[in-house]
Amino acid sequence: MLALETSTFRDAMARLGAAVNIVTTGTREDPIGFTASAVCSVTDTPPTLLVCLNRASRARLAFVEGGPLCVNVLSAAQQALSNHFAAPNTMAERFAMGHWTTLATGAPVLEEAVVTFDCRISQIVEVGTHSVLFGVVEALRIHETAGGLVYFNRAYHALPHTAP
């Protein structure tokens, strides 16, 4: 089998739609966070998810030091917040947008998130250019009426809220 070109792989992955998230650690007084679409469920017993974080990220050290990990799933109305956290803003500038509280772990929780998964990091696996962070969910909060925000083909797309 021929080796894939990096650009071809990236083009193919751009067509794998994903929820847009703000992933946080630290505390409300010293918050750290970044925008991520590489988040997924691992297992429901115990409830565990994973987050992929570029090893070159300036936020990485705070996560690998063994603290909390909070995944805040963004709503259709929060595209600007996603871009704000993806830009080269300071952490203080990033957290100036939105309303932040905490749940069980003390990590910053976005009040307006569609759903929040408040986790403790249980394991970190280094794979190529990324660290894969596994988080065991200690608390969660769901907003029943918000639609979602996905990233597909290098663009944001709003998902409407639908009743279960």
Side-chain angles (χ1 to χ4, degrees):
M1 180 173 176
L2 297 175
L4 288 175
E5 292 290 325
T6 301
S7 62
T8 302
F9 180 73
R10 286 184 180 171
D11 288 343
M13 290 306 298
R15 287 156 181 86
L16 178 63
V20 181
N21 312 278
I22 300 294
V23 180
T24 64
T25 193
T27 63
R28 285 183 63 198
E29 295 75 29
D30 188 21
I32 307 292
F34 67 99
T35 299
S37 60
V39 175
C40 73
S41 170
V42 175
T43 180
D44 63 358
T45 309
T48 304
L49 52 75
L50 68 78
V51 174
C52 296
L53 172 61
N54 192 305
R55 291 170 77 175
S57 169
R58 62 188 162 131
R60 183 179 173 274
L61 183 60
F63 284 92
V64 300
E65 288 178 342
L69 175 144
C70 186
V71 175
N72 299 279
V73 181
L74 298 185
S75 74
Q78 295 172 314
Q79 179 177 333
L81 185 62
S82 171
N83 289 332
H84 187 68
F85 267 75
N89 296 314
T90 67
M91 292 302 164
E93 291 169 333
R94 289 179 181 187
F95 285 90
M97 286 183 73
H99 300 95
W100 299 93
T101 61
T102 60
L103 290 175
T105 69
V109 170
L110 179 63
E111 281 290 312
E112 302 88 355
V114 173
V115 63
T116 297
F117 299 92
D118 192 24
C119 309
R120 290 271 177 215
I121 296 173
S122 64
Q123 182 179 7
I124 300 173
V125 177
E126 304 298 337
V127 179
T129 58
H130 283 69
S131 298
V132 182
L133 313 172
F134 291 86
V136 176
V137 180
E138 291 193 2
L140 58 83
R141 181 171 45 209
I142 301 170
H143 285 152
E144 300 288 344
T145 60
L149 181 65
V150 297
Y151 199 70
F152 174 79
N153 205 19
R154 297 186 175 92
Y156 291 102
H157 302 274
L159 296 177
H161 168 72
T162 55

